[in-house]
Structure formats: structure tokens, C-alpha cells
Amino acid sequence: MSHRRARLSGGRARALEDTEGFHCADLGDGFRRAFADGLVTRDQLWVTTKLWNTYHAAEHVEPALRKSLSDLGLDYVDLFLMHFPLAQRFVPFETRYPPEWIFDPTAAHPTIELANVPLHVTWEAMEDTVRNGLARNIGVCNFNTALLRDLIAGAQIPPGVLQVELHPYNQQPKLLRYAQEEVRGLVAQLII
């Protein structure tokens, strides 16, 4: 199940995270009402969305973001994150959206099916979303130190954010040190 974070009142930072298209249409309805009622303007919001694993191939990255943008009723997102460093077999929007983990849930033996898409290919397509004005910033989630080093080594636009699980039982000191040196923003999530 997806998670959302929203804070749309109180006059302070107003941030919203939508996880890989889940609930985008509902959020888009809310945005349209909030804009129409004068509660907020687009520039008062920080909107984050994520690229799901089935859209890692270069030709699927921008269409996946455009689908989220259309559902959200927005022209751009402030942050576009690669949700996992894991590519899965493509599932067209028309077949099932959001696609979730299982390739074919109606199969006799439903499985997760992986795709052979290198992370740098996905990242280069995400860089294009910045160049095309669809995302202001790009970043990654659930990367370890080695994956992050490799990605940064070949990136034209380095990740602006690393979102990972950090808590007393999963402190990841090496990753934290490296991210503090090489990535502008670190978002830690406490998973209970």
C-alpha cells in the first residue's frame, strides 16, 4: 500500500508526497479545489512523486511521470524519486495502474518478474525529465552506499535527495556519512 504525506494548512511548508501514482487522481482533485478556492498556489507546494519499478526502461520513465502529472493536474513536480534500485517487467497503464509488485496477479502462480534495465539508463531518463521541465529535482530511495557511488559517478545531474530507512536498529552510518557529503538532501524514514 502506498503512503502519502500532506500538510495543506497552517501557512508553513506545504509538502506532499505521492508514491508512484497511487492516489494521484484524488490528490489532483484536491489540488484543483485548493487552487480554485485560493487556499494555496502551486508555488506554495512541494510535490514529490516516485517512479515505480515497472517503469525503469528509458522509454517508460517520462510517460510514467506524465501520467502522474496528469492525474495530479500539475505541470511539474518538485521532486521525482526512483523508488527502488530494482527494475521489474513493464506493465502498461491500460493493463493495471498502479501495477504494484506482482506482474500478473491472476496467474496460477503470481510472481515478481524482473527486467534487465541498468540503473544508469533509468537515471539518464530521469535527468531528461529535469531538462524537459517536468521535474525540478530528482533523487533516489532505498539505495545503499555502493549503488549511490556508482550512480553519482556517471550522473550529469546528481541525486538531490536520498530517501532511506534510518532508525536505531538500522543506522547505516557509512551510507549516512557518504550521503551527507555527496547528496544535498537526506530524508530518513522511521519504519515501525
Side-chain angles (χ1 to χ4, degrees), residues 40-162:
V40 294
T41 60
R42 174 61 184 97
D43 63 329
Q44 292 176 306
L45 297 176
W46 178 275
V47 179
T48 300
T49 195
K50 293 181 180 179
L51 179 69
W52 185 243
N53 307 337
T54 53
Y55 306 124
H56 275 225
E59 66 271 18
H60 300 141
V61 172
E62 186 170 313
L65 179 54
R66 286 189 182 278
K67 170 76 169 127
S68 291
L69 289 171
S70 174
D71 289 349
L72 290 166
L74 301 174
D75 297 326
Y76 68 92
V77 291
D78 299 283
L79 179 59
F80 186 35
L81 295 170
M82 185 187 314
H83 197 158
F84 288 98
L86 170 76
Q88 290 180 252
R89 188 170 164 194
F90 175 67
V91 176
F93 302 133
E94 307 78 40
T95 301
R96 191 174 62 257
Y97 187 79
E100 303 195 16
W101 286 96
I102 304 300
F103 177 71
D104 181 1
T106 64
H109 302 285
T111 60
I112 295 172
E113 295 189 22
L114 301 180
N116 188 17
V117 181
L119 291 174
H120 74 88
V121 168
T122 305
W123 188 255
E124 289 168 5
M126 290 179 69
E127 290 175 328
D128 286 341
T129 68
V130 173
R131 291 183 195 101
N132 295 337
L134 302 174
R136 298 262 170 102
N137 301 279
I138 51 178
V140 295
C141 305
N142 305 302
F143 270 53
N144 62 30
T145 306
L147 289 173
L148 190 58
R149 281 182 192 276
D150 188 56
L151 184 71
I152 289 172
Q156 291 181 12
I157 301 173
V161 168
L162 168 64

Side-chain angles (χ1 to χ4, degrees), residues 7-27:
R7 200 171 24 189
L8 294 177
S9 62
R12 291 183 175 245
R14 297 170 184 183
L16 180 122
E17 177 183 321
D18 175 71
T19 305
E20 73 276 325
F22 291 70
H23 306 291
C24 277
D26 294 340
L27 294 172

